[in-house]
Amino acid sequence: MHYQSAYLKSPWKCELRTLELPDFLPDAHVLIRVEACGICGTDLSHAEDKLDDWQPFGHEIAGVIERLGSQCDGLHVGDTVVLESSGFCGRCDSCRDGRVDLCNKAPNFWKAGPSLGFSEYMIAPACCVVRYDGLTPEAASLAEPAGVAYDMIKTADIRHGDKVCLIGPGPIGLMAIPMALKSGADEVVCIGRTRNSKRLEAAEKLGAKVVASDLALSAHTELHHQFDRVLVTAPVQIIPQALSLLAYGGVLSYIGIGTGDGTIQFDANDFHYRKLQLRGSFASPALYYPIVLKMLKNGTISADTIISHRIPLRDIGQAMTLCKEDKGQTIKVVITTENIAPQV
Ligand SMILES: [Zn+2]
Ligand SMILES: [Zn+2]
């Protein structure tokens, strides 16, 4: 049986290939029929200049178990599932010391088969499968980026009554707004560029006060020294200015992907005398799926506010172009695979 799978190559080349489903699955692996997969900032960055050769892509995955290999206890054909993009082993020193967040040694889906999430089917290790119910596949596919947002929130260690500032209203930043409020923040102020109007509207809907500005943060002196916590999901170059928003003893939690040169300079005297903290969030291994699935289910995170576009797999090339060219009008673009009859 054949199926369709999208491949990517820099710069901005995307093609659908026809692949053959495997006859046998390795032990402790499952075959997933993908129903929805979100386009992530990392996919765009890879499309731009990171891939010299064709690669399958897509890692924000929701689907249905189609087939089971041996040793897949507790899983059943027909289960609706999302996939952790990386996992912990449970056996290394970090895991045994209770720091599973420092381990990345579990099998993952990245090299498990010839296709990833922008496909009709893919193979994944059973250990990265998390079952869900009560959500659409599109909403469930937000579990991966929501886990990233939750890691940033945990890293920021938000306390009751904190004033929080969010810089960067992409999908991850936006999902962090209700999470920060639920974690006890009194208010969340979201700063974004005016061209990102759709994203700023969403920020407001999700409970933030919005500052739409094309000025540098250094020009916004009214915001300086105002925030107990600053969450940054924007290129690293913003960090020196973002530190000036922190109140005495404040914490900045940063998540970013490589955007060219990651070198920054900031005033270490200010950092020292104002007892500031700069913390890196990196959601690998991918934790917290049960928590964020609950947030998606109970409406803490409004999937309808985050998902701006649903586009079928056959149009993935156009979807990538849309994300590239109209950042301000897209929030999360989710690729869907309708029930396509098996091609024999
Ligand atoms: Zn992602
Ligand atoms: Zn481990």
Side-chain angles (χ1 to χ4, degrees):
M1 191 175 119
H2 297 100
Y3 70 101
Q4 299 283 302
S5 174
Y7 275 63
L8 186 69
K9 187 182 173 185
S10 308
W12 298 101
K13 290 182 198 145
C14 186
E15 69 177 29
L16 277 175
R17 294 184 180 181
T18 303
L19 305 177
E20 182 91 19
L21 276 182
D23 290 329
F24 298 101
L25 288 172
D27 289 347
H29 280 65
V30 297
L31 180 69
I32 305 285
R33 175 166 57 76
V34 180
E35 293 188 299
C37 183
I39 296 181
C40 170
T42 338
D43 298 321
L44 305 179
S45 145
H46 284 177
E48 177 77 27
D49 57 9
K50 304 267 185 320
L51 299 179
D52 295 333
D53 204 358
W54 290 100
Q55 295 255 346
F57 68 125
H59 59 269
E60 302 179 355
I61 301 152
V64 178
I65 296 182
E66 181 84 7
R67 243 200 280 154
L68 296 166
S70 62
Q71 301 161 29
C72 292
D73 297 347
L75 299 175
H76 305 95
V77 170
D79 284 348
T80 47
V81 299
V82 287
L83 300 181
E84 290 175 347
S85 47
S86 56
F88 58 89
C89 75
R91 290 185 298 275
C92 72
D93 286 353
S94 292
C95 284
R96 290 181 196 276
D97 284 339
R99 289 299 305 271
V100 297
D101 59 308
L102 299 180
C103 170
N104 259 312
K105 299 196 180 80
N108 58 56
F109 59 62
W110 295 91
K111 301 275 180 208
S115 50
L116 284 172
F118 297 126
S119 293
E120 291 173 89
Y121 293 92
M122 67 176 281
I123 296 170
C127 62
C128 61
V129 170
V130 180
R131 292 194 292 175
Y132 78 88
D133 58 23
L135 287 169
T136 63
E138 293 94 322
S141 76
L142 293 177
E144 202 272 350
V148 174
Y150 196 63
D151 191 84
M152 176 173 70
I153 293 288
K154 296 277 282 183
T155 302
D157 192 18
I158 291 169
R159 302 158 310 166
H160 197 77
D162 275 349
K163 278 185 79 174
V164 174
C165 180
L166 166 74
I167 301 170
I172 290 166
L174 290 172
M175 288 193 276
I177 293 170
M179 291 177 182
L181 291 168
K182 281 271 179 179
S183 303
D186 258 6
E187 64 169 10
V188 178
V189 174
C190 171
I191 304 177
R193 299 196 181 281
T194 51
R195 68 163 183 265
N196 288 331
S197 57
K198 192 157 186 167
R199 294 174 174 212
L200 292 173
E201 261 168 46
E204 204 155 29
K205 253 194 211 167
L206 292 162
K209 291 180 185 160
V210 164
V211 177
S213 171
D214 295 322
L215 300 176
L217 293 179
S218 51
H220 283 281
T221 48
E222 78 285 2
L223 297 176
H224 289 186
H225 298 192
Q226 296 300 309
F227 298 96
D228 305 295
R229 298 292 184 264
V230 172
L231 312 172
V232 177
T233 61
V236 65
Q237 289 75 18
I238 199 79
I239 286 180
Q241 293 187 53
L243 287 170
S244 68
L245 304 185
L246 284 173
Y248 187 74
V251 173
L252 187 154
S253 179
Y254 170 74
I255 167 197
I257 45 165
T259 41
D261 183 11
T263 313
I264 53 167
Q265 274 191 325
F266 59 84
D267 180 354
N269 291 332
D270 179 60
F271 188 71
H272 165 77
Y273 287 118
R274 296 205 301 117
K275 297 194 175 188
L276 306 181
Q277 294 183 52
L278 175 56
R279 299 183 185 174
S281 155
F282 180 38
S284 181
L287 303 172
Y288 314 123
Y289 277 34
I291 292 177
V292 299
L293 284 166
K294 209 183 281 178
M295 290 184 194
L296 286 160
K297 220 166 146 174
N298 68 19
T300 299
I301 305 169
S302 158
D304 285 340
T305 305
I306 302 297
I307 299 171
S308 59
H309 297 74
R310 292 168 173 80
I311 297 178
L313 179 62
R314 62 174 170 273
D315 296 329
I316 176 114
Q318 283 117 285
M320 290 292 285
T321 308
L322 173 75
C323 293
K324 174 191 174 194
E325 287 173 359
D326 206 357
K327 245 187 167 174
Q329 289 310 306
T330 58
I331 303 178
K332 175 60 79 184
V333 177
V334 177
I335 298 298
T336 60
T337 53
E338 302 91 83
N339 255 333
I340 303 170
Q343 306 162 3
V344 182

